[in-house]
């Protein structure tokens, strides 16, 4: 399935988000689980072939309207990689908690997401992070991201722009779209690469 201009109108991010969420909610649960397994293999395959030894990755715990990351998180840990997940803080800031399988999660007080419970770490963590994997509703071929609308990552990315970290976003394959498919705002921050269940798209 390809997202058309009617489904992703460039002048209306709200309509674009609604179109993506509607498709995702209609996805068969068994197919969704399989796509999550495929995503884990794609990401692990990429990281295992990347330059240098990957020791620490920042990722996220997926919600119902996102490509599932449960298998990915556990696969990263099984590879001996330390994984950190975000926690929403006041003023649209993010802190990070180390992930372990079976850990406790609690509803965020600031956003409609589940968050890990544990010791929180600030941006200094990203001096050691190899790859930041974050959610998106769509990504265009310039690496610009249609996010959920909260603005947390757009505020966070400038804080780590000098850190040696690759920034990646996760979408389904048909959500990787040509430039102009959705409106771009001045504060939107591009990513370096895109993970889908099927492949990795490098942004040049």
């Amino acid at each position: 399935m390809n997202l058309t201009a009617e489904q992703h109108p460039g002048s209306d991010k709200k309509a674009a988000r609604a179109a993506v969420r509607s498709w995702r909610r209609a996805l068969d649960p068994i197919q969704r689980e399989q796509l999550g397994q495929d995503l884990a293999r794609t990401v692990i395959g990429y990281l295992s072939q990347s330059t240098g030894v990957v020791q620490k990755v920042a990722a996220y715990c997926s919600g119902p309207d996102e490509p599932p990351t449960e298998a990915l998180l556990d696969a990263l840990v099984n590879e001996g990689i330390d994984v950190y997940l975000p926690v929403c803080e006041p003023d649209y800031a993010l802190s990070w908690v180390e992930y372990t399988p079976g850990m406790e999660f609690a509803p965020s007080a600031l956003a409609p997401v589940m968050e890990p419970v544990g010791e929180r770490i600030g941006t200094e963590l990203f001096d050691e992070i190899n790859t930041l994997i974050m959610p998106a509703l769509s990504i265009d071929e310039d690496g610009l991201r249609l996010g959920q609308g909260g603005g947390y990552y757009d505020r966070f990315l400038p804080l780590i722009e000098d850190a040696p970290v690759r920034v990646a976003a996760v979408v389904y394959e048909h959500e990787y779209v040509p430039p102009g498919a959705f409106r771009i705002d001045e504060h939107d921050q591009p990513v370096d690469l895109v993970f889908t269940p099927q492949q990795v798209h490098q942004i040049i």
Side-chain angles (χ1 to χ4, degrees):
M1 171 185 173
N2 291 319
L3 295 180
T4 66
E6 289 75 23
Q7 292 170 302
H8 250 343
S11 61
D12 189 346
K13 280 191 172 183
K14 183 177 180 180
R17 291 185 178 106
V20 176
R21 289 169 178 150
S22 177
W23 186 91
R24 289 181 173 186
R25 288 168 184 162
L27 191 61
D28 178 80
I30 295 176
Q31 183 183 9
R32 182 178 183 272
E33 182 178 357
Q34 180 59 57
L35 289 168
Q37 297 288 342
D38 294 343
L39 175 66
R41 283 192 289 272
T42 296
V43 176
I44 294 298
Y46 173 80
L47 294 178
S48 67
Q49 297 173 14
S50 62
T51 303
V53 177
V54 178
Q55 297 179 324
K56 298 179 186 291
V57 166
Y60 66 98
C61 179
S62 58
D65 294 341
E66 295 172 328
T69 60
E70 293 90 344
L72 170 59
L73 298 180
D74 289 347
L76 290 167
V77 172
N78 289 339
E79 290 290 317
I81 297 171
D82 296 335
V83 179
Y84 296 84
L85 304 180
V87 174
C88 296
E89 302 284 6
D91 298 323
Y92 298 95
L94 291 174
S95 61
W96 301 83
V97 173
E98 186 171 4
Y99 169 76
T100 56
M103 73 183 302
E104 180 184 357
F105 284 79
S108 170
L110 299 171
V113 295
M114 297 295 290
E115 296 177 332
V117 176
E119 180 182 357
R120 301 182 183 187
I121 308 170
T123 56
E124 67 275 10
L125 172 67
F126 284 79
D127 291 336
E128 304 175 14
I129 292 288
N130 173 277
T131 303
L132 165 61
I133 303 171
M134 63 181 186
L137 290 169
S138 188
I139 293 282
D140 73 15
E141 293 167 356
D142 291 331
L144 291 165
R145 166 180 167 270
L146 179 69
Q148 295 282 6
Y152 283 90
Y153 283 99
D154 286 325
R155 290 173 172 84
F156 181 77
L157 291 180
L159 302 178
I160 60 167
E161 61 183 357
D162 294 329
V165 56
R166 292 171 296 186
V167 179
V170 172
V171 294
Y172 291 116
E173 184 63 33
H174 68 269
E175 295 163 353
Y176 181 63
V177 297
F182 50 84
R183 191 186 77 239
I184 302 302
D185 295 326
E186 185 177 352
H187 64 267
D188 291 341
Q189 299 290 317
V191 302
D192 301 312
L193 60 154
V194 179
F195 292 131
T196 78
Q198 288 78 20
Q199 61 184 307
V200 180
H201 297 276
Q202 297 273 5
I203 306 298
I204 300 175

